[in-house]
Amino acid sequence: MNLWKVELVLLFRSWRGWTLVSLYLLATILALLTNYFIDKANKAELINYADVIEMYLLFSLPAGILFIGLVVSSMSFDANQNLSIFLRMRFSFKKILLTKLVIYVLLSEVLFLFTFALTFVASMVMFATTDPISLKWFTFGFMLNILNSIFWVCLITFTSAVFKSTVASLLLTLALIIGFPILVGIATPLEIVARGLWETPESEWDKVSYVSKINNWWPTTISDTDNFLTVTKSEIDSKTIVVNFEEVSLEPWFRLKPFIVSLLLAPFLWLYAWRTYSRREI
């Protein structure tokens, strides 16, 4: 029996697999349509194709969140006793773990790259190309995206191993990836006010706020490096890019601190998950 076939059949026989595909395609369609109507309403200013791709990255976030949920659900196979017995009686836990991770990572990367390329080509045809995307920065961002996926695999494997329950594992994953940034967004201004530093410019908060300093090292912020995929010639000239609606300096070591932390942390997360799965009773 082929474990790859079993996993893909379980995924695409239900709503989960087709919903993931639909969300990635919907992100492309929404990015193109939204910018098309904006372009028609505002003819005085041409929309650059890089803006369309940036909007695609924004609209693809729900697909990314669903992907996380699907992986955590798949990795929490011990929560379903019948499925756990079925898999463990036929395959080694090593093969189960690696096959599930490879399938989902490959599926996510294929869907992302396909819809990204589709958006890229369609936006070049439909919108202005006067401010081209830098091939050098795009290649650099793509390489970082691949390296970052190593950490995401280890993190999701870790959170899936902490609890047997799928819901508990998913909540822990979302808390680390989404919950902490939201907490930082709320706690940082409160800290600034509490410490009497409200006159400090917002651009300087990273230097004076302890919460922001912790966030600068938080490993999940490495996803911000996806903004390198859409760096244009004008942004290179101005030496700034927009990240999370804020202008930051265009530097190759942007998010270097969380990148280092993620590389150092990844092996320990993987080892913990491996040890937990190998010792877990059915």
Side-chain angles (χ1 to χ4, degrees):
M1 184 177 293
N2 191 321
L3 184 55
W4 283 70
K5 183 178 179 181
V6 171
E7 191 65 34
L8 289 173
V9 166
L10 288 174
L11 179 63
F12 285 101
R13 270 189 177 178
S14 65
W15 60 269
R16 299 175 300 167
W18 295 112
T19 304
L20 181 65
V21 174
S22 300
L23 284 178
Y24 273 110
L25 291 174
L26 184 62
T28 295
I29 295 170
L30 287 177
L32 293 171
L33 286 178
T34 302
N35 283 277
Y36 173 78
F37 288 121
I38 293 174
D39 188 47
K40 288 296 182 183
N42 185 17
K43 295 183 179 180
E45 185 178 350
L46 294 176
I47 291 180
N48 192 52
Y49 73 109
D51 298 329
V52 182
I53 298 173
E54 287 180 356
M55 191 166 288
Y56 158 78
L57 294 175
L58 179 64
F59 285 145
S60 65
L61 287 178
I65 294 173
L66 177 61
F67 165 72
I68 292 171
L70 292 180
V71 178
V72 172
S73 175
S74 178
M75 297 299 293
S76 301
F77 55 89
D78 284 332
N80 185 328
Q81 188 175 16
N82 292 332
L83 178 62
S84 179
I85 293 173
F86 172 79
L87 292 175
R88 287 179 179 266
M89 291 291 289
R90 290 165 174 79
F91 311 102
S92 66
F93 91 93
K94 176 182 176 181
K95 187 174 183 179
I96 296 171
L97 210 60
L98 293 178
T99 301
K100 284 178 175 289
L101 290 175
V102 170
I103 285 176
Y104 279 95
V105 170
L106 284 179
L107 179 63
S108 176
E109 288 296 321
V110 167
L111 288 174
F112 173 76
L113 291 176
F114 173 74
T115 51
F116 184 93
L118 189 63
T119 308
F120 190 94
V121 173
S123 60
M124 288 188 69
V125 173
M126 297 172 62
F127 302 98
T129 57
T130 52
D131 191 13
I133 292 175
S134 168
L135 179 60
K136 181 179 71 173
W137 280 101
F138 174 83
T139 305
F140 182 59
F142 183 69
M143 289 176 60
L144 285 177
N145 182 271
I146 295 174
L147 291 174
N148 293 344
S149 64
I150 297 174
F151 171 74
W152 292 116
V153 165
C154 295
L155 176 64
I156 293 175
T157 309
F158 165 77
T159 55
S160 302
V162 172
F163 302 107
K164 271 191 176 184
S165 169
T166 303
V167 175
S169 297
L170 180 58
L171 290 176
L172 176 61
T173 307
L174 293 178
L176 294 175
I177 296 174
I178 300 175
F180 185 79
I182 294 175
L183 177 63
V184 169
I186 297 172
T188 300
L190 293 177
E191 180 197 354
I192 295 295
V193 172
R195 294 173 59 195
L197 301 172
W198 56 83
E199 295 182 358
T200 305
E202 189 173 345
S203 59
E204 301 292 325
W205 283 6
D206 285 352
K207 299 178 181 178
V208 298
S209 170
Y210 297 123
V211 176
S212 292
K213 289 179 179 178
I214 294 173
N215 186 56
N216 288 337
W217 287 89
W218 193 252
T220 59
T221 57
I222 56 176
S223 58
D224 291 342
T225 56
D226 285 344
N227 289 274
F228 289 150
L229 295 170
T230 57
V231 174
T232 61
K233 185 178 181 299
S234 62
E235 289 175 327
I236 295 174
D237 294 337
S238 64
K239 297 182 180 180
T240 59
I241 56 172
V242 178
V243 179
N244 298 328
F245 308 104
E246 295 181 6
E247 280 196 353
V248 297
S249 298
L250 178 58
E251 299 171 340
W253 51 85
F254 172 68
R255 294 301 185 216
L256 177 62
K257 293 176 181 178
F259 181 71
I260 293 173
V261 172
S262 67
L263 290 181
L264 294 176
L265 197 59
F268 295 100
L269 297 177
W270 177 262
L271 287 174
Y272 174 85
W274 187 275
R275 180 176 178 274
T276 302
Y277 277 112
S278 62
R279 295 189 177 188
R280 182 177 289 171
E281 295 181 359
I282 301 175

